[in-house]
Amino acid sequence: MRLTDVEKAMRDGEAGPAVAKAMDLLIRYGEALGAEGLVETRNVCGTVTATTPFLRDFAVNKGGLDAVFSEFNLDSQEVVATPKVKAFSSHLQLGFDPHHPAEMGVSDEIVQFYKKSEAAAAKMGVQILNTCTPYQVGNVPTRGEHLAWMESSAVIYANSVLGARTNTEGRESTSCAMITCRIPDWGFHRDEGRRGTLGVHTDIPLETVEDWGLFGYWMGDWVQERVPVITGVRSSPNLPRLKHFGAAASSSGGVEMYHIVGITPEANTVEQAFGGNKATEVRHYGRRERELTLERINSTASDSKVDYVMLGCPHYTIEQIWEAAQLLEGRKLHPETALWIWTPRAIKELATRNGYTQIIEAAGGKIFTDSCSAMSRAVPPGTKVVALDSAKQAHYLPAILGLQAWFGTTEQCIEAACTGRWSAA
Ligand code: F3S
């Protein structure tokens, strides 16, 4: 792999042992990918904290949080001191909400261990955003900016909607990027990796968050890891719609980038989106495809009694919390149904200042942060049936926790929370 003098110096230890280990890992990783070099990045989203009994025991037995960072972030069994980050680095979601440990079945011992690890991460210079939607709370990359991000729903949003450039990285590669400002230069960092390869035309209007979630789920299943160019969209989707669309497409398939002609930044025209490629295939999305996708997502559900309504996958925007609060105002949840809404900490703060948290809590719901049910594997005790407005969460919860999952609109979900029953639209 071609390295600059600065990169060679980091590899040879001039910036300390941790940076040398990080460069060694990035070089091995880049060579395995066939990258010819590294690209400079100043924006990283990853995970450096520790939230599990396994990591707590590892820290106790092997030399503290430096040992955890060395082994699980730098792939080094030799323990080296954890350095400060060089790149602007944001922390993604965790395995639980440290403000609601009892509901999540997390012991106080683990919460205290996590708090130490969060303080250590902050001391490294990592921003404790603790969300899968960093682009909502202070990390909004610009077009063409090279990133090193984990979290599939954030990666597809950054590439497609913002025009930034990132592959879906992992815990180790993002940690190495945080302290070296480098990541292998391949895939979505390069113009040729971003060009469309197949076409998708929607024959029906896409208006609601549900419409976009269904469309994304259908598209991802077909597209898998290719780059689709979408035509036929008649009105500009907003942040929540594109957030749900990308999350769905990256869970039913592995889509990391799409173009919507006339809307996303690298698709002013069909020709620009394909960049000289020819569509290998074009498929149409119509009423029949929508119906079949809804049937498929709801195929795990049969009982109409709903135990748990989960909203906020990906983490809810302030607009979505405002909508939920309007739907709940003056109402009470069914006594046997729980409502948990997930959002970044900063947006919960805003929701509280605006009075939405109080409305939701007065109805009997709760706002959680930092995690979600799929990440934490935590749901209210006794939950068998869940209702969701997220195709991504409906994809994962039946597989992870064996639950029945109903997918529908936010209104249907709030109605289920208040009546205790799912009713088809
Ligand atoms: Fe976020 Fe959890 Fe969904 S981390 S994208 S809310 S699966």
Side-chain angles (χ1 to χ4, degrees), residues 93 132 151 153 247 310 312-315 371-372 374-375 392-393 396:
Q93 68 276 8
C132 47
E151 170 49 43
S153 69
M310 190 208 126
C313 170
H315 280 175
S371 189
C372 71
M375 284 298 298
K392 174 173 179 172
Q393 198 77 196
Y396 285 117

mmCIF file of all heavy atoms in Angstrom, residues 93 132 151 153 247 310 312-315 371-372 374-375 392-393 396, ligand 1:
data_model
loop_
_atom_site.group_PDB
_atom_site.id
_atom_site.type_symbol
_atom_site.label_atom_id
_atom_site.label_comp_id
_atom_site.label_asym_id
_atom_site.label_seq_id
_atom_site.Cartn_x
_atom_site.Cartn_y
_atom_site.Cartn_z
ATOM 1 N N GLN A 93 -24.625 4.625 19.339
ATOM 2 C CA GLN A 93 -25.497 4.065 20.370
ATOM 3 C C GLN A 93 -24.819 2.976 21.194
ATOM 4 O O GLN A 93 -23.855 2.364 20.764
ATOM 5 C CB GLN A 93 -26.763 3.496 19.711
ATOM 6 C CG GLN A 93 -26.536 2.276 18.843
ATOM 7 C CD GLN A 93 -26.095 2.587 17.420
ATOM 8 O OE1 GLN A 93 -25.811 3.713 17.091
ATOM 9 N NE2 GLN A 93 -26.038 1.573 16.576
ATOM 10 N N CYS A 132 -27.630 6.567 17.004
ATOM 11 C CA CYS A 132 -27.439 6.072 15.644
ATOM 12 C C CYS A 132 -27.683 7.187 14.623
ATOM 13 O O CYS A 132 -27.543 6.951 13.420
ATOM 14 C CB CYS A 132 -28.395 4.911 15.388
ATOM 15 S SG CYS A 132 -30.087 5.266 15.919
ATOM 16 N N GLU A 151 -22.511 1.964 11.786
ATOM 17 C CA GLU A 151 -23.977 2.061 11.884
ATOM 18 C C GLU A 151 -24.586 2.257 10.494
ATOM 19 O O GLU A 151 -24.551 3.342 9.917
ATOM 20 C CB GLU A 151 -24.407 3.160 12.869
ATOM 21 C CG GLU A 151 -25.892 3.520 12.875
ATOM 22 C CD GLU A 151 -26.834 2.316 12.954
ATOM 23 O OE1 GLU A 151 -26.567 1.392 13.745
ATOM 24 O OE2 GLU A 151 -27.836 2.290 12.207
ATOM 25 N N SER A 153 -27.558 2.572 9.212
ATOM 26 C CA SER A 153 -28.571 3.593 8.888
ATOM 27 C C SER A 153 -27.941 4.984 8.791
ATOM 28 O O SER A 153 -28.433 5.842 8.051
ATOM 29 C CB SER A 153 -29.704 3.597 9.925
ATOM 30 O OG SER A 153 -29.232 4.066 11.173
ATOM 31 N N ALA A 247 -32.744 3.287 6.578
ATOM 32 C CA ALA A 247 -32.612 2.252 7.613
ATOM 33 C C ALA A 247 -33.259 0.954 7.135
ATOM 34 O O ALA A 247 -32.717 -0.144 7.339
ATOM 35 C CB ALA A 247 -33.251 2.727 8.909
ATOM 36 N N MET A 310 -42.919 0.488 20.408
ATOM 37 C CA MET A 310 -41.582 1.091 20.378
ATOM 38 C C MET A 310 -41.482 2.048 19.200
ATOM 39 O O MET A 310 -41.695 1.647 18.051
ATOM 40 C CB MET A 310 -40.505 0.008 20.237
ATOM 41 C CG MET A 310 -39.122 0.592 20.459
ATOM 42 S SD MET A 310 -37.807 -0.267 19.598
ATOM 43 C CE MET A 310 -37.083 1.112 18.716
ATOM 44 N N GLY A 312 -38.956 5.205 17.407
ATOM 45 C CA GLY A 312 -37.621 5.804 17.472
ATOM 46 C C GLY A 312 -36.528 4.913 16.942
ATOM 47 O O GLY A 312 -35.449 4.822 17.523
ATOM 48 N N CYS A 313 -36.774 4.267 15.800
ATOM 49 C CA CYS A 313 -35.727 3.516 15.101
ATOM 50 C C CYS A 313 -35.761 3.928 13.640
ATOM 51 O O CYS A 313 -36.735 3.626 12.962
ATOM 52 C CB CYS A 313 -35.936 2.013 15.202
ATOM 53 S SG CYS A 313 -34.815 1.072 14.119
ATOM 54 N N PRO A 314 -34.715 4.607 13.130
ATOM 55 C CA PRO A 314 -33.624 5.211 13.878
ATOM 56 C C PRO A 314 -34.148 6.268 14.869
ATOM 57 O O PRO A 314 -35.306 6.693 14.783
ATOM 58 C CB PRO A 314 -32.769 5.857 12.788
ATOM 59 C CG PRO A 314 -33.116 5.134 11.524
ATOM 60 C CD PRO A 314 -34.556 4.759 11.680
ATOM 61 N N HIS A 315 -33.281 6.688 15.783
ATOM 62 C CA HIS A 315 -33.694 7.590 16.849
ATOM 63 C C HIS A 315 -34.583 8.720 16.327
ATOM 64 O O HIS A 315 -34.272 9.353 15.306
ATOM 65 C CB HIS A 315 -32.461 8.163 17.551
ATOM 66 C CG HIS A 315 -31.869 7.211 18.546
ATOM 67 N ND1 HIS A 315 -30.702 7.454 19.221
ATOM 68 C CD2 HIS A 315 -32.314 6.008 19.014
ATOM 69 C CE1 HIS A 315 -30.448 6.450 20.049
ATOM 70 N NE2 HIS A 315 -31.410 5.561 19.925
ATOM 71 N N SER A 371 -29.801 4.060 23.229
ATOM 72 C CA SER A 371 -29.847 2.686 22.747
ATOM 73 C C SER A 371 -31.184 2.455 22.048
ATOM 74 O O SER A 371 -31.818 3.410 21.580
ATOM 75 C CB SER A 371 -29.673 1.732 23.945
ATOM 76 O OG SER A 371 -29.515 0.413 23.511
ATOM 77 N N CYS A 372 -31.629 1.211 21.953
ATOM 78 C CA CYS A 372 -32.965 0.866 21.457
ATOM 79 C C CYS A 372 -33.209 -0.582 21.843
ATOM 80 O O CYS A 372 -32.310 -1.249 22.347
ATOM 81 C CB CYS A 372 -33.052 1.030 19.940
ATOM 82 S SG CYS A 372 -32.121 -0.227 19.043
ATOM 83 N N ALA A 374 -33.601 -3.267 19.972
ATOM 84 C CA ALA A 374 -32.803 -4.252 19.233
ATOM 85 C C ALA A 374 -31.366 -4.279 19.751
ATOM 86 O O ALA A 374 -30.774 -5.347 19.916
ATOM 87 C CB ALA A 374 -32.825 -3.943 17.738
ATOM 88 N N MET A 375 -30.797 -3.109 20.021
ATOM 89 C CA MET A 375 -29.410 -3.041 20.497
ATOM 90 C C MET A 375 -29.277 -3.615 21.902
ATOM 91 O O MET A 375 -28.308 -4.288 22.223
ATOM 92 C CB MET A 375 -28.933 -1.579 20.558
ATOM 93 C CG MET A 375 -28.596 -0.956 19.244
ATOM 94 S SD MET A 375 -27.242 -1.772 18.424
ATOM 95 C CE MET A 375 -25.905 -1.512 19.574
ATOM 96 N N LYS A 392 -37.104 -1.301 9.950
ATOM 97 C CA LYS A 392 -35.844 -1.886 10.410
ATOM 98 C C LYS A 392 -36.054 -2.625 11.722
ATOM 99 O O LYS A 392 -35.627 -3.755 11.895
ATOM 100 C CB LYS A 392 -34.780 -0.788 10.586
ATOM 101 C CG LYS A 392 -33.489 -1.318 11.212
ATOM 102 C CD LYS A 392 -32.372 -0.307 11.237
ATOM 103 C CE LYS A 392 -31.136 -0.907 11.907
ATOM 104 N NZ LYS A 392 -29.949 -0.068 11.803
ATOM 105 N N GLN A 393 -36.722 -1.995 12.672
ATOM 106 C CA GLN A 393 -36.916 -2.628 13.974
ATOM 107 C C GLN A 393 -37.852 -3.844 13.826
ATOM 108 O O GLN A 393 -37.672 -4.850 14.493
ATOM 109 C CB GLN A 393 -37.474 -1.606 14.957
ATOM 110 C CG GLN A 393 -37.344 -1.972 16.423
ATOM 111 C CD GLN A 393 -35.962 -1.783 17.037
ATOM 112 O OE1 GLN A 393 -35.704 -2.318 18.111
ATOM 113 N NE2 GLN A 393 -35.084 -1.070 16.392
ATOM 114 N N TYR A 396 -35.754 -6.722 12.830
ATOM 115 C CA TYR A 396 -34.845 -7.303 13.820
ATOM 116 C C TYR A 396 -35.521 -7.914 15.048
ATOM 117 O O TYR A 396 -35.062 -8.943 15.543
ATOM 118 C CB TYR A 396 -33.818 -6.257 14.281
ATOM 119 C CG TYR A 396 -32.753 -6.032 13.223
ATOM 120 C CD1 TYR A 396 -32.583 -4.802 12.612
ATOM 121 C CD2 TYR A 396 -31.937 -7.088 12.824
ATOM 122 C CE1 TYR A 396 -31.627 -4.609 11.623
ATOM 123 C CE2 TYR A 396 -30.978 -6.907 11.832
ATOM 124 C CZ TYR A 396 -30.828 -5.667 11.237
ATOM 125 O OH TYR A 396 -29.891 -5.505 10.261
HETATM 126 FE FE1 F3S B 1 -30.875 3.047 15.886
HETATM 127 FE FE2 F3S B 1 -31.478 0.844 17.153
HETATM 128 FE FE3 F3S B 1 -32.655 1.386 14.937
HETATM 129 S S1 F3S B 1 -29.520 1.766 17.072
HETATM 130 S S2 F3S B 1 -31.194 2.488 13.720
HETATM 131 S S3 F3S B 1 -32.782 2.597 16.834
HETATM 132 S S4 F3S B 1 -31.876 -0.608 15.497
#
